[in-house]
Amino acid sequence: MPYLDDPLIIFTDLDGSLLDHHDYSWKPAQPWLDKLATANIPLILTTSKTSAEVTALQAALHLTHQPYIAENGAIIHLPPGWQTSEQESVHVMGACYRDIRQALVDLRQRYDFEFRGFGDVTPKQVAVWTGLSEAQAELAMQREASEPLVWFGNDLDFSHLKKCLSREGLALTRGGRFWHVMGTDAGKGQAVQWLSAQYRQQRGAPVTSIGLGDGPNDLSMLEAVDYAVVIKGHHDHQMPVNHRNNSQVFRTTEFGPHGWCQGLDHFITLSQRENV
């Protein structure tokens, strides 16, 4: 098990990773959350959730002093201590939500594509799709730079949709429950690289990054960090992590927050944990 010498930063997916896939609880991970907080190790929420959702979760997890990555990397939010006259509190990567929705509506009208996005339905329907309450679903619908889709059509039409979106400067990424449409230059991996560079610049020294995720939309994040934890997922999607060193990729045998803890146990050595 490697010893991680440089200061740590940790990027974590939420649904199916830090949060249980079914009930969205992080209780099993609380001991590790407490250790990280005591050691002042940054924990960066890196999720498909919206800023409105993450803000509430950050407060509950006592992480409001940390940046976060929302909407699969399309949004990077910086806390007040990070903001300068040249740097806004919200960094948007890719297209804005209004333009994404307009492109999707136009393509559906032109080609009769069979999909529904969050912008097409009510909070009640989003609650059915996600298992959230209607109040929580309303937060999930407050999108800024990405749109989750449920696809009802065939594979041929789906390939056509991807080509059409590419011509519009948009791309699809697969999440645990939905396909997500966002700008081609947005993604969890790009956002992780950008924030890691900010940490290196702030500290004036190298940092070591750990990433934890369970779904295909986490792959770019897992490939952008130094050590990757692939959490066992409630899906049948392949999770091929192209990493320079296979020993730096760990696949858990447990789901959700239990697997999350298993991954940190694997990569953070006993000697480090005694200091945490």
Side-chain angles (χ1 to χ4, degrees):
M1 189 160 52
Y3 184 87
L4 310 181
D5 292 312
D6 295 325
L8 281 176
I9 53 173
I10 298 176
F11 296 91
T12 181
D13 174 52
L14 288 176
D15 294 353
S17 297
L18 177 57
L19 305 183
D20 183 84
H21 178 80
H22 300 292
D23 64 11
Y24 299 100
S25 171
W26 65 81
K27 269 191 174 181
Q30 192 62 57
W32 257 116
L33 291 171
D34 293 340
K35 292 175 186 178
L36 297 176
T38 300
N40 292 317
I41 295 174
L43 180 63
I44 314 301
L45 305 183
T46 307
T47 176
S48 61
K49 291 184 179 296
T50 64
S51 294
E53 293 175 283
V54 180
T55 298
L57 276 167
Q58 264 205 325
L61 292 164
H62 306 291
L63 294 172
T64 54
H65 58 295
Q66 302 289 3
Y68 65 76
I69 296 168
E71 296 193 39
N72 278 315
I75 299 291
I76 302 173
H77 186 276
L78 304 176
W82 281 56
Q83 296 161 28
T84 68
S85 57
E86 299 176 356
Q87 198 153 255
E88 299 294 330
S89 62
V90 178
H91 186 71
V92 180
M93 302 178 74
C96 70
Y97 183 69
R98 182 187 65 251
D99 292 342
I100 292 171
R101 280 294 308 169
Q102 189 61 56
L104 286 169
V105 169
D106 290 346
L107 289 172
R108 184 168 53 195
Q109 289 176 344
R110 192 180 314 164
Y111 299 109
D112 200 26
F113 288 133
E114 296 179 73
F115 65 78
R116 288 292 179 271
F118 278 21
D120 297 312
V121 298
T122 64
K124 183 176 182 179
Q125 179 61 63
V126 171
V128 170
W129 283 341
T130 60
L132 298 169
S133 68
E134 285 193 42
Q136 291 169 325
E138 288 179 0
L139 297 180
M141 297 173 74
Q142 294 179 28
R143 314 202 69 83
E144 299 171 84
S146 69
E147 174 72 326
L149 296 182
V150 177
W151 177 255
F152 300 104
N154 58 47
D155 292 344
L156 185 62
D157 282 347
F158 188 71
S159 295
H160 186 200
L161 173 64
K162 286 199 284 188
K163 290 177 182 176
C164 292
L165 289 172
S166 180
R167 288 196 292 267
E168 300 288 336
L170 301 173
L172 282 159
T173 187
R174 189 72 167 96
R177 289 181 171 88
F178 305 101
W179 287 97
H180 298 262
V181 182
M182 53 191 179
T184 52
D185 53 350
K188 287 189 177 185
Q190 294 94 314
V192 163
Q193 288 174 332
W194 187 88
L195 260 184
S196 296
Q198 299 298 309
Y199 271 103
R200 286 193 297 272
Q201 185 177 3
Q202 278 196 355
R203 298 188 180 201
V207 294
T208 296
S209 56
I210 298 176
L212 304 99
D214 73 309
N217 59 323
D218 296 316
L219 287 173
S220 65
M221 171 184 70
L222 296 174
E223 292 170 356
V225 294
D226 297 306
Y227 295 91
V229 177
V230 183
I231 296 172
K232 187 177 182 180
H234 293 275
H235 57 74
D236 57 2
H237 306 301
Q238 296 296 310
M239 291 288 290
V241 179
N242 297 316
H243 215 281
R244 58 186 176 274
N245 187 334
N246 286 336
S247 68
Q248 292 170 271
V249 179
F250 175 70
R251 296 176 182 273
T252 76
T253 57
E254 298 188 66
F255 297 100
H258 292 285
W260 194 87
C261 293
Q262 191 182 8
L264 292 185
D265 285 339
H266 178 80
F267 279 128
I268 301 180
T269 65
L270 178 61
S271 57
Q272 281 181 302
R273 277 183 269 146
E274 288 171 351
N275 295 323
V276 171

